Amino acid sequence: MKKQNFGRIIMTSSSSGLYGNFGQANYSAAKLGLLGLANTLAIEGKKNNIHCNTIAPVAVSRLTQGIVPEDILKVMQPDYVAPLVLWLCHESCDENGGLFEVGGGWIGKLRWERTLGAIVKQRNQPVSPEAVKANWKKICDFENASKPQGAQDTFGTIIEGLRKIDSDGEVSPNHTSHLASSTTTSEFGGAIGHKFPPTFSAYTELETILYALGVGASIKEPKDFKFIYEGSSDFSCLPTFGVIIAQKALMNEGLTEIPGLSVNIAKMLHGEQYLELYKPLPRAGKFKSEAVLVDILEKGPGLLLLLDVYSYYEKELICYNQFSIFAIGSGGRSGKRTSDKVKGAVAIPSRPPDVVLTDTTSLNQAALYRLSGDWNPVHIDPNFAGAVGFDKPILHGLCTFGFCARHILQQFADNDVSRFKAIKVRFSKPVYSGQTLQIEMWKEGDRIHFQTKVQETGDIVISDAYVDLAPALAILAEIPSEGGELQSTIVFKEIGHLLKDVGHQMVKKVNAVFEWHITKGGNTAVKWTTDLKNGTGKVYEGPAKDSADVTIILSDEDFMNIALGKLDPQKAFFSGKLKARGNIMMGLKLQSIFKAYAKL
């Protein structure tokens, strides 16, 4: 069947296997065992167009002669079963992994149904039979029941339950655990604090554009242009590219080489992610990242590894990541379950969202995103995905993460990357390429809470998430200045403060002295000088003490519009709003001053 890339398999089960029957223990076990075999064959054969389905027929045979009444014999012939079998074997039938009862001209499909269940662990209490009894009604309540499609649905439900417990505080280990008295996480003392070898990442505009496309940026959206065209006047690197810089520190099997810790990399799950930016990422650059395992927590059947990664650009710390990784199957100890090192998730507000946006991922989304460096085959290889319990390759969690951050940045910060401070997400369930993301957002001050669902299923795939934004300079500009001070003064003073930290870098990059004539009502109201040529640079009120390379004349209002990104300096020049004399070509370097620094 694999050789010809086609096959159809029908397993014949029985109602005795599905429901049990008195006196047929061996027969029932065998017949239900066929269903389990069929389900696995359906998963393994799918990639080769081999489908496997199961029927539980009701029909007479030699075994029922003398038992079934004559009138029933007439309508329970195998002839009424054969048409279903023929259809399931047809090359145009897409059914795979189905279970059908059939007989007497009637056909019905069966599926599993599961209650919402109940969390029986309580804060600071062991799990007990009494807790099970107290929750029994809820455990067995089929109202609003779900229809699980595979093993990954069960796993996701259990993991989400563990997270809810941890959000309520520390949970005592179950005293019935046979490992509780003999093993503790103290054995990980040698692993906690382990420093990974430093990694180095170099990227150009090519990598930042490829990443932007990988998280859904498109020429269909004009506001995305600044992220996908290097010639854009305000070309920028998406803030969440910071995870791409950091992830290299955890690649190349580094997680399997931690002393005193044995984990299976095939059973690792990305649970949560935190990213904090101290400055906008440059459009191109070379970074050094240093990673450390800061803590290990017990999470039921697994361990939670907390990995901090610090990324430096020219010896300056630019971004910090915390990866929360579940190591499934490595738990069972009575270790600690909370840590003050965790960058915690925050529950969403209990009110309707302020904004709801949808965005459909491409069928090629995972194939495109993996080009940014995450080569895990679970995102592209059906064989590998099936081996770890997924119907097909799943989308990278950090791809969904990038989609959400991109929309929030556009919705609440007008794509101003300098306002992006931090993001925290919790990954709840997988997403498949081609599905539609529904992002629900709540604004509370400069924090944007959000959660993300798959629109087709209603499943929450990112929960308890938020983005922190820096206040917009526009807000400051709206505050009346004392004594009628010009609004541009705010920007010049801010540039002066920032030169204390980045002056040497700016002087090296710009190498020019600018004299500014700020007008009000057509008359020069004030002169400022930005010396980005000498020493570590400085800003002062008044004309240039030495000769200026460029003198720029524009109104206070137009200056603020440029600083806020509402007016392009080149367009202002050609429209006559900005006048310049001296080495006008130096004026092109205004982009780096305004876009990279002034709005900070």
Side-chain angles (χ1 to χ4, degrees), residues 40-109:
T40 295
L41 292 179
I43 294 171
E44 294 181 350
K46 185 177 181 180
K47 61 184 177 295
N48 295 110
N49 192 27
I50 301 170
H51 297 173
C52 186
N53 293 284
T54 304
I55 63 171
V58 178
V60 295
S61 67
R62 285 175 297 169
L63 291 174
T64 59
Q65 287 179 357
I67 300 175
V68 179
E70 190 66 27
D71 56 338
I72 299 296
L73 287 173
K74 294 179 181 180
V75 295
M76 290 298 179
Q77 294 297 316
D79 305 50
Y80 293 104
V81 177
L84 170 63
V85 175
L86 292 171
W87 166 241
L88 291 174
C89 289
H90 197 273
E91 62 184 11
S92 65
C93 180
D94 294 327
E95 188 67 36
N96 188 28
L99 171 62
F100 300 87
E101 287 186 292
V102 53
W106 171 85
I107 303 171
K109 184 176 182 179

Side-chain angles (χ1 to χ4, degrees), residues 479-500:
I479 302 174
S481 302
E482 295 182 8
E485 186 178 36
L486 298 173
Q487 302 292 349
S488 55
T489 301
I490 299 172
V491 178
F492 283 113
K493 288 182 177 180
E494 188 63 19
I495 294 175
H497 291 312
L498 289 167
L499 285 179
K500 297 176 182 178

Side-chain angles (χ1 to χ4, degrees), residues 2 5 40-50 266 376-394 432:
K2 290 177 70 175
N5 200 43
T40 295
L41 292 179
I43 294 171
E44 294 181 350
K46 185 177 181 180
K47 61 184 177 295
N48 295 110
N49 192 27
I50 301 170
N376 191 329
V378 74
H379 303 298
I380 196 166
D381 186 343
N383 295 330
F384 192 93
V388 294
F390 296 106
D391 293 337
K392 53 186 176 181
I394 60 174
Y432 295 103

Side-chain angles (χ1 to χ4, degrees), residues 286-589:
K286 296 180 179 180
F287 276 78
K288 176 184 178 181
S289 294
E290 298 176 347
V292 60
L293 177 60
V294 295
D295 218 337
I296 302 175
L297 304 180
E298 181 73 23
K299 297 292 179 180
L303 298 175
L304 180 66
L305 312 182
L306 294 178
L307 298 119
D308 286 355
V309 184
Y310 299 86
S311 299
Y312 299 84
Y313 174 65
E314 296 183 355
K315 298 183 179 182
E316 182 179 15
L317 179 62
I318 297 295
C319 64
Y320 157 72
N321 281 269
Q322 183 175 90
F323 294 81
S324 300
I325 308 293
F326 282 106
I328 308 303
S330 300
R333 302 163 176 83
S334 59
K336 64 178 182 178
R337 297 173 182 267
T338 61
S339 171
D340 57 3
K341 296 180 175 64
V342 173
K343 296 294 183 180
V346 179
I348 59 173
S350 57
R351 58 182 172 86
D354 300 319
V355 178
V356 178
L357 296 175
T358 60
D359 196 353
T360 302
T361 62
S362 162
L363 290 174
N364 291 319
Q365 205 70 60
L368 179 59
Y369 182 85
R370 69 189 298 268
L371 300 181
S372 288
D374 189 338
W375 304 100
N376 191 329
V378 74
H379 303 298
I380 196 166
D381 186 343
N383 295 330
F384 192 93
V388 294
F390 296 106
D391 293 337
K392 53 186 176 181
I394 60 174
L395 189 60
H396 306 69
L398 286 178
C399 180
T400 306
F401 167 93
F403 263 83
C404 298
R406 181 173 57 80
H407 279 291
I408 291 172
L409 185 68
Q410 180 176 312
Q411 180 70 31
F412 294 100
D414 195 29
N415 276 349
D416 182 354
V417 296
S418 69
R419 291 192 59 200
F420 193 98
K421 290 177 61 180
I423 179 173
K424 170 71 180 186
V425 306
R426 172 175 286 169
F427 301 111
S428 302
K429 285 191 175 182
V431 177
Y432 295 103
S433 294
Q435 290 184 321
T436 299
L437 301 174
Q438 178 176 304
I439 309 166
E440 301 172 348
M441 296 167 267
W442 293 260
K443 187 178 188 304
E444 294 195 341
D446 289 316
R447 171 164 287 184
I448 312 300
H449 298 269
F450 72 96
Q451 71 175 11
T452 305
K453 298 177 180 177
V454 169
Q455 191 176 56
E456 290 84 354
T457 64
D459 290 339
I460 296 175
V461 295
I462 286 183
S463 61
D464 298 340
Y466 64 84
V467 167
D468 283 337
L469 300 172
L473 183 60
I475 297 175
L476 298 175
E478 291 171 0
I479 302 174
S481 302
E482 295 182 8
E485 186 178 36
L486 298 173
Q487 302 292 349
S488 55
T489 301
I490 299 172
V491 178
F492 283 113
K493 288 182 177 180
E494 188 63 19
I495 294 175
H497 291 312
L498 289 167
L499 285 179
K500 297 176 182 178
D501 299 322
V502 298
H504 178 75
Q505 179 182 344
M506 286 300 297
V507 167
K508 183 178 178 180
K509 183 176 182 180
V510 178
N511 192 32
V513 176
F514 298 89
E515 182 176 299
W516 305 80
H517 295 190
I518 305 300
T519 67
K520 192 77 171 178
N523 299 315
T524 299
V526 67
K527 295 181 181 180
W528 283 90
T529 298
T530 53
D531 183 348
L532 300 176
K533 190 174 186 178
N534 302 298
T536 58
K538 57 184 176 180
V539 176
Y540 54 88
E541 187 175 347
K545 296 177 180 177
D546 297 316
S547 61
D549 294 287
V550 190
T551 299
I552 302 163
I553 304 116
L554 77 168
S555 70
D556 183 62
E557 180 182 0
D558 289 335
F559 179 94
M560 288 305 298
N561 284 333
I562 291 175
L564 293 168
K566 297 179 180 179
L567 178 63
D568 183 270
Q570 294 183 39
K571 292 180 180 179
F573 175 77
F574 288 114
S575 66
K577 292 183 177 180
L578 183 154
K579 298 177 182 178
R581 57 175 181 259
N583 188 348
I584 298 177
M585 294 304 295
M586 285 287 187
L588 296 175
K589 296 185 178 182

